[in-house]
Amino acid sequence: MLPAISTADTGVVSALRGGVLDVEFPGHLPELGNKLFLPDSGCVLEVVAHPNRHTVRALALNPTRGIGRGARVVDTGGPLRVPVGPGLLGRMLSVFGEAIDDGPPLEALRWDSIHRQPVSLTRRVTTWSIFETGIKAIDLLAPLARGENAGLFGGAGVGKTVLIMELIHNTISRHHGVGMFCGIGERCREGEELRRKLAESGVLARTVLLFGQMNEPPGARFRVGHAALTIAEYFR
């Protein structure tokens, strides 16, 4: 639900270039990162720049078909938020934190901003240890450092998703952890196949799936990684 809106919180679209919109606000200027909403179309925007004192440049997270100059825009007064909590385990979500797996509605969850401050240096682990994946080729030839990042590069069809599934399975079964999978630009078919395979292997109940699929606007795919990171930080 949107908060109570005054006329000072509303603006109008002054220019539209694909998924980027300029919105004029005569009353006040929304802050960077604020979530904007178009009541007539249901489109969600995020402020990314202030070209001048009365205009914001916003990125569309929904399709912009049917939106034209003069369309009414509402400033929600806060950033894009996603739900966090144990109730997400076993679910498939969109960048807005909405369930897309035909499951029951998400209830009694806390909603956190996707633009959170990073963990302070004093709270970060400084000891170095190996994260044992249970995959001999990785643990022997390319070991992963616990708490660090690792890149996996390859063309289509070479087995990246299969390897990630194996890592999720071993993380949950060996370390009793939680799996977080974020699909940025994934095909709808691949997302559904991944969900079925995780269910068959018995680890879906300890996994959260978040997708910004290839048929969605660039804005949604741009922000889905931040949404997934927010959820992952909660479980960490």
Side-chain angles (χ1 to χ4, degrees), residues 51 63 69 72 89 109 131 145-146 173 187 209 226-228:
R69 295 183 62 183
R72 179 169 172 261
L89 295 174
L109 294 171
F131 178 74
R146 185 180 294 273
S173 59
R187 298 178 180 87
L209 305 174
H226 297 82

Side-chain angles (χ1 to χ4, degrees), residues 9-10 20 67-68 79 113 124 229:
D9 297 319
T10 61
V20 179
I67 299 175
S113 167
R124 299 183 188 180
L229 183 60

Side-chain angles (χ1 to χ4, degrees), residues 109-224:
L109 294 171
R110 191 179 82 203
W111 289 72
D112 284 350
S113 167
I114 66 171
H115 300 293
R116 302 182 66 193
Q117 292 296 321
V119 178
S120 64
L121 291 175
T122 58
R123 293 179 54 198
R124 299 183 188 180
V125 177
T126 56
T127 58
W128 192 88
S129 61
I130 296 295
F131 178 74
E132 297 182 7
T133 66
I135 303 174
K136 294 180 180 179
I138 294 179
D139 292 343
L140 178 63
L141 302 177
L144 304 180
R146 185 180 294 273
E148 298 297 329
N149 304 315
L152 178 63
F153 303 92
V158 299
K160 299 186 301 296
T161 303
V162 175
L163 182 57
I164 290 174
M165 285 180 54
E166 190 67 19
L167 290 173
I168 292 175
H169 181 274
N170 290 355
T171 298
I172 294 172
S173 59
R174 293 171 60 91
H175 301 281
H176 307 289
V178 170
M180 176 76 224
F181 182 90
C182 176
I184 303 176
E186 286 278 326
R187 298 178 180 87
C188 304
R189 170 184 56 80
E190 292 176 341
E192 178 57 27
E193 288 178 355
L194 175 64
R195 182 175 180 272
R196 288 202 309 269
K197 290 178 180 178
L198 290 174
E200 292 170 359
S201 62
V203 298
L204 180 61
R206 297 287 298 170
T207 307
V208 183
L209 305 174
L210 194 66
F211 287 97
Q213 300 171 95
M214 65 185 309
N215 62 329
E216 297 185 46
R221 285 176 274 151
F222 177 62
R223 283 304 183 209
V224 70

